[in-house]
Amino acid sequence: MALVVQKYGGTSVGSIEKIENVARKVARVKDAGNDIVVVLSAMSGETDRLINLAHSITPDPDERELDSLVSTGEQVTITLLAMALNKMGYRARSFLGFQIPIKTDSAFTKARIEDILDGKIRQELKRGTIIVVAGFQGIDAEGNITTLGRGGSDTSAVAVAAALKADVCEIYTDVDGVYTADPNICPDARRLDKIAYDEMLELARAGAKVLQARSVEMAKKHGVPVYVKSTFSDEGGTLVTKEDEEMEREVVAGVTQDKDQAKITIVKVPDKPGIAAKIFAPLAENNIVVDMIIQNASVEGNTDMTFTVSRKGIKQARQIVENIAKEIGAKEVVVNENVAKISIVGVGMVSHSGVAAKMFSTLYKENINILMISTSEIKVSCVIESKYTELAVIALHEAFELGKRD
Ligand code: ASP
Ligand code: MG
């Protein structure tokens, strides 16, 4: 007998039929003699719909209210699943974040889980109850409802698994695992049986949508083994786990792309101490995440500062940067929204040289201009024009022979 945590994403609970399908899958785990805790997302499209409702009232809704609103999508799915299980003769109970409670900080729309009290869940499990928990939400110290950022129910599931010391955390979605590249772009993409936490973390941060990056961070920290599986097939699956010798020791594990990128250049910034702090502190204060940063060599006391931010937040970022530019006496601000970031990731890079060079020459062969570069121990990222995204992914996937196996 094991303690199993399963999470089902929006496409897995997008209709009554699909919720009933999930109920049957959950029942099978229970019938096999296991304890089970299920974490759910809202029905697919629901969170977007709720956000749009808010924006139809105001472009800038109060974030406390926004969190209360968008958290309702999960209340619908967890209650329906509990009902479906009850109908099948199982004892099932749904719990919202505050009913457990899942305690978070007060950073509305991107809260962090601080603690999960497991008393109520354990008590119910002892009675044989199937527990159904609302993903994506929690409660702060003042009793406000918070949400964990888009895709946050992955993090809810891993956090619940960590708190309960569950044997496994299974993330059910509409793809059957983690691939060497987005299969929608690259028909040659191959599913990985296993991937190291660090690789998955970099892939998620670099734009792979399978898991929320924070959930991988948490899984790594608490050593929770995470299986990514398809709700609609019993085949396949990818295990996200500690690095081990058995893992296929390829230099590169995968290629990923992120089109949610915009590039901002502040032209002719007076080059003196404190300038970078003046530019980036106000962006940080406004919770704008800056990804890559390049400062050019200065010419006659002036330099250009270029960096990337999320395209979704470009309006706010632009406004802030234009104000700073005036303040520090820079010449102008140039924004390019037609860029994308392409990354290759693999723990094997640590012990191999020439990986970045191979990436650059591959892009060169396709005549793709590289606008920015950044590297870490296990990742190389290039910003390119977004119209070349697919071409770049396919070319890199082939160059690193990610599709081929003997
Ligand atoms: N429903 C939330 C979202 O759409 C959380 C999740 O699905 O993980 O972002
Ligand atoms: Mg998701």
Side-chain angles (χ1 to χ4, degrees), residues 80-391:
L80 289 172
L81 179 65
M83 286 177 204
L85 285 161
N86 291 336
K87 188 175 91 176
M88 291 163 67
Y90 294 87
R91 182 181 155 85
R93 301 198 84 174
S94 68
F95 292 93
L96 292 163
F98 80 87
Q99 292 174 307
I100 294 205
I102 296 177
K103 296 184 175 179
T104 71
D105 62 18
S106 302
F108 295 115
T109 76
K110 47 187 154 308
R112 274 185 182 272
I113 296 177
E114 289 178 338
D115 195 16
I116 296 182
L117 304 191
D118 65 350
K120 202 173 286 171
I121 298 182
R122 293 221 184 264
Q123 203 182 331
E124 285 290 345
L125 286 174
K126 257 191 218 135
R127 303 175 65 179
T129 310
I130 296 173
I131 316 282
V132 189
V133 177
F136 183 49
Q137 59 176 264
I139 185 168
D140 76 359
E142 278 77 55
N144 300 304
I145 293 171
T146 54
T147 66
L148 310 179
R150 298 307 305 272
S153 46
D154 294 337
T155 302
S156 307
V158 174
V160 166
L164 295 172
K165 301 193 171 54
D167 296 287
V168 65
C169 179
E170 297 172 343
I171 305 278
Y172 284 93
T173 177
D174 51 2
V175 291
D176 67 349
V178 180
Y179 278 72
T180 49
D182 183 342
N184 294 316
I185 293 180
C186 200
D188 209 21
R190 185 172 50 87
R191 184 180 54 75
L192 298 160
D193 290 327
K194 268 188 187 180
I195 187 167
Y197 288 126
D198 286 325
E199 288 172 333
M200 192 62 239
L201 190 54
E202 289 283 16
L203 282 174
R205 284 186 183 144
K209 295 282 182 317
V210 195
L211 289 173
Q212 198 197 33
R214 241 183 221 184
S215 72
V216 186
E217 252 168 56
M218 185 160 317
K220 183 187 171 193
K221 185 167 156 205
H222 296 280
V224 178
V226 174
Y227 271 103
V228 178
K229 293 183 175 180
S230 164
T231 307
F232 309 105
S233 137
D234 291 330
E235 310 285 297
T238 298
L239 175 61
V240 188
T241 184
K242 282 197 294 283
E243 206 181 308
D244 66 31
E245 299 84 58
E246 268 177 62
M247 251 173 220
E248 303 168 53
R249 270 294 56 94
E250 299 302 320
V251 179
V252 172
V255 186
T256 192
Q257 76 286 346
D258 186 356
K259 287 192 171 178
D260 179 27
Q261 296 275 315
K263 183 164 77 79
I264 301 181
T265 303
I266 313 181
V267 183
K268 278 203 173 171
V269 179
D271 192 8
K272 53 186 182 204
I275 281 293
K278 275 217 177 92
I279 294 173
F280 295 110
L283 289 169
E285 274 156 29
N286 286 283
N287 283 311
I288 292 170
V289 178
V290 172
D291 185 7
M292 293 192 201
I293 302 176
I294 290 181
Q295 181 181 349
N296 292 11
S298 61
V299 179
E300 290 164 6
N302 289 314
T303 178
D304 292 346
M305 196 76 99
T306 303
F307 52 93
T308 56
V309 296
S310 159
R311 200 183 295 172
K312 283 190 211 103
I314 186 65
K315 251 168 100 186
Q316 197 199 0
R318 177 182 217 144
Q319 218 164 42
I320 294 169
V321 173
E322 276 173 353
N323 288 337
I324 306 166
K326 255 186 230 132
E327 219 175 275
I328 60 178
K331 184 166 170 252
E332 61 175 331
V333 175
V334 180
V335 172
N336 182 352
E337 293 189 46
N338 299 316
V339 295
K341 183 172 71 174
I342 307 294
S343 308
I344 54 172
V345 171
V347 289
M349 280 184 203
V350 177
S351 49
H352 282 78
S353 58
V355 178
K358 185 165 178 179
M359 179 173 191
F360 306 150
S361 63
T362 304
L363 295 175
Y364 167 59
K365 267 182 223 145
E366 300 296 334
N367 241 319
I368 300 171
N369 191 24
I370 299 171
L371 307 173
M372 299 173 86
I373 298 167
S374 83
T375 64
S376 78
E377 258 199 325
I378 66 165
K379 182 182 74 179
V380 186
S381 299
C382 295
V383 172
I384 62 172
E385 272 186 75
S386 59
K387 66 178 176 197
Y388 297 125
T389 305
E390 286 74 16
L391 178 61

